[in-house]
Amino acid sequence: MRIRQLRAQEVLDSRGNPTVETEVVLENGIYESAIVPSGASTGEREACELRDNDPNRYGGKGVLNAVRNVNTIIADCVCGVGIQSQADLDYKMIELDGTPNKSRLGANAILSVSLAFAKAVAKSNGQSLFESISEENLFTLPVPCMNVINGGVHADNNVDFQEFMIAPHHATDFQTAIRMGIETFHCLKKVLKSKGYVTSVGDEGGFAPNLNSNEEAIEVILEAIHCAGYKPGEDISICIDPASSEMWKDGKYHFFKSDGSYKTSEQMVALWEEWIDKYPIVLLEDGMAENDWDGWQLLTQKLGDKVELVGDDIFCTNPKILQEGIDKNVGNSILIKLNQIGTLTETLETIKLAYDNNYNCFISHRSGETEDTTIADLTVAVGAGHLKTGSGCRSERVSKFNRLMRIERQLGDRARFMGVKTFKNR
Ligand code: PGA
Ligand code: ZN
């Protein structure tokens, strides 16, 4: 396989910030493009998202340097030479970059090439992207974990925790799960309205009202599940991502947005124990902060055999950090975000390491997203069984659901849906 040309340009993400789009043209004339997403509550050890920092353009958020790196340095290295495989291309770029966190060329530059190449190769072989990535041809459609209440740094409200998700797992197939989730989303709007709350949405399309407490977010969701005609816990369960690294300061967890109080790690673990006892929660992501490894170990001891404990900021989709987590008995699942590590190949290595060690993989969008639907295909290809890609509105979110419904139709009898069995320890 040879690449004839790379064409990168600056486009926009869902927050109106610039991001990188790259088109890969293969020697046989086939071309495909990919756009990279961007996070807000990022982990400290994520690969580098290269921004121009030129205050005269897009408030410093321009990505012209990353675009130039694709069109010049990366193109010079990978165009017109034999590319043996995805891994061959990705490692060529990793070597060319030469830094541990892709800070020379930018992970945004490198990932855009990596994903566009993967799509072009699939097209060239007459395959769908998920078929092309898959090694086992076991295609699992995911439980769509929909982030229906937004808080934290994703919304201008008084809710400290970032994401309250519904997981419609008691379904025979993906399309039914989507319908259950969307019906609940619309009921939630009614429930919020009836209480006099605003129904405007946050970055990921979930409602972002001011509430009387963080816990009230769960109460209104339970009401919405009932109102939609489903049973909490049996049909639809709850997943939470408090993104607690954002609350971590001077060794404590601060409830900055609500009442200004704080908790120690032990108190934070106690809060999660109480909630998991009281509510039908099947998954807790970043229950502890990325720099609170002791807290994470305590959380895992107390709750690791009851619910899925997903590491996002703490692992950053990085196989080296995940290995450290496995060795220290931290969590039982990892969040997978392609742009935290910067190539498809490394992402697949991290997923393999997780599976080999009996960790789950929870595939994820970023809060700054685009119309690119690669994560839908990735989820099916690796059989992750669940993904989070926002709420029931905003096209950059539902485009992934729509892609998954198309994949399900395409697969017909070959599509599997695991439901609640997907979640660790369920
Ligand atoms: P981010 O949020 O994309 O802003 O990092 C998503 C998450 O924390 O899971
Ligand atoms: Zn997270």
Side-chain angles (χ1 to χ4, degrees), residues 80-132:
V81 301
I83 306 280
Q84 306 309 319
S85 61
Q86 182 76 41
D88 182 29
L89 171 72
D90 289 345
Y91 276 99
K92 274 188 168 68
M93 292 192 286
I94 291 166
E95 225 173 87
L96 184 66
D97 176 83
T99 68
N101 66 345
K102 304 183 175 65
S103 56
R104 184 168 94 93
L105 301 174
N108 42 356
I110 292 172
L111 183 64
S112 69
V113 178
S114 179
L115 297 182
F117 179 75
K119 291 185 192 184
V121 168
K123 195 179 195 181
S124 189
N125 292 333
Q127 288 182 308
S128 292
L129 181 59
F130 69 90
E131 292 172 307
S132 176

Side-chain angles (χ1 to χ4, degrees), residues 45 284 286-301 304 308-315 321-335 357-360:
R45 295 206 265 177
L284 172 63
D286 281 2
M288 310 305 283
E290 63 186 311
N291 290 320
D292 184 14
W293 282 67
D294 292 343
W296 257 107
Q297 281 179 315
L298 181 65
L299 181 77
T300 310
Q301 273 168 30
E308 179 158 337
L309 297 174
V310 185
D312 170 12
D313 289 351
I314 191 167
F315 297 145
I321 309 175
L322 174 61
Q323 185 63 59
E324 212 180 315
I326 292 164
D327 295 342
K328 293 185 175 157
N329 200 18
V330 163
N332 55 30
S333 179
I334 178 175
L335 198 75
N357 289 279
N358 203 23
Y359 273 53
N360 265 12

Side-chain angles (χ1 to χ4, degrees), residues 395-412:
S395 284
E396 79 279 7
R397 313 294 153 188
V398 300
S399 57
K400 279 68 163 177
F401 296 144
N402 290 342
R403 171 68 188 144
L404 284 161
M405 288 195 277
R406 283 184 210 112
I407 292 176
E408 186 171 61
R409 271 197 296 275
Q410 180 186 334
L411 283 170

Side-chain angles (χ1 to χ4, degrees), residues 15 38-43 46 153-154 162-163 203-204 241 243 285-286 312-313 335 337 339-340 364-368 388:
R15 277 193 280 250
S38 173
S41 61
T42 49
E46 291 193 16
V153 301
H154 291 173
Q162 183 178 283
E163 303 174 19
D203 284 0
E204 299 190 346
D241 176 11
E285 176 187 329
D286 281 2
D312 170 12
D313 289 351
L335 198 75
K337 290 167 166 167
N339 79 327
Q340 281 185 328
S364 174
H365 63 160
R366 297 309 304 245
S367 50
K388 62 171 194 177

Side-chain angles (χ1 to χ4, degrees), residues 149-153 155 157-162 164 208-211 213-214 217 257-258:
I149 296 223
N150 293 186
V153 301
N157 58 2
N158 66 355
V159 178
D160 298 287
F161 300 152
Q162 183 178 283
F164 293 84
N210 282 321
L211 298 173
S213 65
N214 290 302
K257 296 184 73 188
S258 55

